[in-house]
Amino acid sequence: QKEVEQNSGPLSVPEGAIASLNCTYSDRGSQSFFWYRQYSGKSPELIMFIYSNGDKEDGRFTAQLNKASQYVSLLIRDSQPSDSATYLCAVILNRDDKIIFGKGTRLHILP
Amino acid sequence: DARVTQTPRHKVTEMGQEVTMRCQPILGHNTVFWYRQTMMQGLELLAYFRNRAPLDDSGMPKDRFSAEMPDATLATLKIQPSEPRDSAVYFCASGSRTDSPLHFGNGTRLTVT
């Protein structure tokens, strides 16, 4: 089982709709979770971080964490063409503090 | 605006040559991570440091890769000898503490012919 798993996509969402991105992780003791956005040819940039179960909202972005089910998700409301990018989920492993990334989900917002 | 600085941005070299990539973490950050990104494998963790001490380099091919932090403002990743399969984008990222998010540099795009 991979430590951090994401659906590679592409995920196509109409402009103005909600995009939902999911991530699962294997280290049950992990406590810190991050979502990064990466445009083609650019470096990853942090969008959200979440440490507690439940929802965390920041503008159009909502991160959701469920430690019992070992998944973390990212919702993007009112999707814009500029949201088209690859979204990377990252987890700090409890056993050794490594920060491991999923392979990312490619999101395409359809104008 | 504090940022992680990586040099060089691009490097083209022939197989067998030594490659050195450098990273200046954000001032005050005490964790430094090196990742390699390819289309097939995504972001792979190569090595990481806390307070300049290497904590793990199990992701690196030991016979050819080495990572060091000679001081708090410089991290290096060396490949000797380089091989075509090392072609990738190498990212350095730093964080202010163990559980904080990482801030990435712009990466070094390495091509080994």
Side-chain angles (χ1 to χ4, degrees), chain B residues 19 21 34 47 49 57 60-68 76-80:
Chain B
V19 175
M21 290 170 270
W34 283 103
F49 297 78
D57 61 1
M60 297 197 308
K62 295 290 191 300
D63 56 339
R64 299 185 301 108
F65 284 58
S66 62
E68 297 179 345
T76 62
L77 180 66
K78 292 185 180 181
I79 308 174
Q80 169 62 24

Side-chain angles (χ1 to χ4, degrees), chain B residues 97-110:
Chain B
R97 61 177 195 267
T98 304
D99 62 347
S100 66
L102 294 177
H103 299 263
F104 280 77
N106 287 327
T108 294
R109 181 175 296 276
L110 174 65

Side-chain angles (χ1 to χ4, degrees), chain A residues 32-34 36 38 41-46 48-49 51 86 88 92 96-103 106, chain B residues 33 35 37 40-43 45 48 50 56 58 91 97-107 109:
Chain A
S32 304
F33 308 87
F34 312 99
Y36 286 79
Q38 187 176 25
K42 302 295 185 182
S43 57
E45 56 179 329
L46 180 71
M48 298 277 297
F49 58 89
Y51 302 137
T86 296
L88 301 166
I92 299 183
D96 55 16
D97 292 334
K98 289 182 184 179
I99 302 181
I100 303 298
F101 284 78
K103 289 190 176 182
R106 283 184 295 135
Chain B
F33 286 69
Y35 293 91
Q37 187 173 41
M40 291 298 294
Q41 300 300 327
L43 270 171
L45 177 62
Y48 72 109
R50 184 184 304 146
D56 192 288
S58 59
F91 286 107
R97 61 177 195 267
T98 304
D99 62 347
S100 66
L102 294 177
H103 299 263
F104 280 77
N106 287 327
R109 181 175 296 276

Side-chain angles (χ1 to χ4, degrees), chain A residues 10 13 15-16 32 35 56 62 67 75 87 90 93 98 108-109:
Chain A
V13 173
E15 183 176 356
S32 304
W35 282 100
K56 179 181 179 183
T62 299
K67 292 182 182 178
L75 302 178
Y87 289 80
L93 300 184
K98 289 182 184 179
H108 182 46
I109 305 301

